Amino acid sequence: MAVSAKSSPLSELRIALPSLPLRLQEVGRFVAANDYDATTRSMRDLAAEAGADPAAFTRLAKAIGYSGWDELRAALTEARRPSQASPFSARAKGRRHGPNADVTLITDKLEAEAAGLPRISAHAIADAARGLHHARRIWIAGYRSCRSVAELLNYELRLFRPEQVQIVGASGPDDLDLGAFRPGEAVIVIGFMPYTNASVRVAQAAYHAGATLIAIADSVTAPMAEGADHVLLFEAASSPGFFPSLTGALAIAQSLAAVAFSLGGAAARKRLQDTEARLAAASTYVSERD
């Protein structure tokens, strides 16, 4: 059963509560009253706070039609997303009151960011990095706020593969690069909801060209992830604040670069050393002093 079919998981949960066993009713009421925590905290942490067995959360999810807790949690996260017409302002909450309100917001945000990182699949990143290692050329596309992630990944990869990595649209109109995609190359597209039309066009061009498509996205249903060879998921919507989180996307980008470098072996190390020597000769960095 697809998560997208569950448009209102909290409503479904509340409707199902009277028919559930007493213990599952208690867990269900806890989830309904703490739906934000349910999307950001581990099942074990939730169980400890609710005074329940972690397995009860899995049983609850299955009792209301989900395959397990992960699918229900994903549906709860999806339900919290704002409409496309107001993707940022709809996330904004009124300023909290109290002497430590601002500190509490920051603490909640940092905790949410930290909770999302362990849920990133290391195996999926390693598989994608192997695709980068074998690619003759690597293209990277990130628009609007995702441009920063694209530029970081471009910078790190070019330290040891300077002739083979390029940001889409960096040297001219995007459509010229889209027409240059070839089989044997890799195209990385980064995005989160609301998705840009440009990112979808890049992904579709990569797919039709037969290039390896790697999507760094917040959902498997992201339009720029359709047909991708690798989908690397990060959590954007679970963090509080008016703007979605890019922390997971940055972590994925840096992990991709680290593994691609490792796979490059002695050749990659030599290219990195050559780059460092050139930077030193150009006095790029402030000299260390005794």
Side-chain angles (χ1 to χ4, degrees):
M1 178 185 58
V3 170
S4 58
K6 296 281 189 178
S7 59
S8 181
L10 284 180
S11 295
E12 293 172 352
L13 175 58
R14 293 187 177 103
I15 291 171
L17 277 177
S19 64
L20 297 178
L22 181 60
R23 190 61 183 128
L24 289 188
Q25 287 185 31
E26 294 174 357
V27 175
R29 291 190 182 95
F30 175 84
V31 172
N34 300 275
D35 62 305
Y36 171 72
D37 286 343
T39 64
T40 59
R41 300 177 63 182
S42 70
M43 186 168 61
R44 187 173 299 276
D45 286 346
L46 293 171
E49 185 167 334
D53 183 343
F57 287 82
T58 298
R59 292 196 298 271
L60 172 68
K62 291 182 176 180
I64 61 174
Y66 290 85
S67 62
W69 173 250
D70 286 343
E71 190 183 25
L72 175 55
R73 188 177 67 83
L76 290 169
T77 300
E78 195 71 22
R80 292 179 61 84
R81 295 180 187 276
S83 67
Q84 187 170 347
S86 55
F88 310 130
S89 62
R91 289 173 51 89
K93 308 297 182 184
R95 189 174 185 275
R96 304 183 187 187
H97 300 289
N100 296 315
D102 297 334
V103 174
T104 300
L105 173 59
I106 294 169
T107 299
D108 288 347
K109 185 167 178 60
L110 292 176
E111 288 179 350
E113 307 280 4
L117 292 179
R119 291 193 278 265
I120 294 173
S121 173
H123 290 289
I125 296 175
D127 288 343
R130 284 189 281 272
L132 293 183
H133 173 63
H134 293 297
R136 293 194 299 269
R137 176 178 288 275
I138 300 170
W139 302 86
I140 308 171
Y143 296 92
R144 302 184 72 82
S145 62
C146 290
R147 179 78 175 192
S148 60
V149 183
E151 289 181 345
L152 173 64
L153 182 55
N154 175 68
Y155 175 73
E156 292 195 20
L157 290 174
R158 282 177 59 87
L159 288 173
F160 59 94
R161 292 186 65 171
E163 299 94 354
Q164 301 165 327
V165 182
Q166 182 174 333
I167 289 183
V168 174
S171 59
D174 287 13
D175 59 277
L176 296 180
D177 289 340
L178 269 55
F181 295 164
R182 296 290 182 270
E185 300 180 343
V187 180
I188 304 169
V189 185
I190 307 156
F192 63 86
M193 189 176 182
Y195 309 103
T196 63
N197 290 316
S199 67
V200 177
R201 285 194 294 269
V202 172
Q204 291 174 342
Y207 177 79
H208 290 302
T212 297
L213 175 58
I214 300 173
I216 301 177
D218 63 337
S219 172
V220 293
T221 62
M224 20 76 68
E226 184 175 347
D229 299 277
H230 305 274
V231 180
L232 309 180
L233 297 175
F234 69 97
E235 296 187 7
S238 60
S239 177
F242 79 96
F243 200 83
S245 171
L246 281 169
T247 299
L250 289 166
I252 290 172
Q254 293 195 287
S255 297
L256 279 173
V259 177
F261 174 75
S262 178
L263 292 171
R269 182 177 293 274
K270 178 62 169 60
R271 293 307 303 270
L272 179 59
Q273 290 171 337
D274 291 344
T275 300
E276 290 174 326
R278 179 172 50 79
L279 293 174
S283 300
T284 301
Y285 302 115
V286 175
S287 300
E288 295 183 6
R289 296 181 180 180
D290 296 334

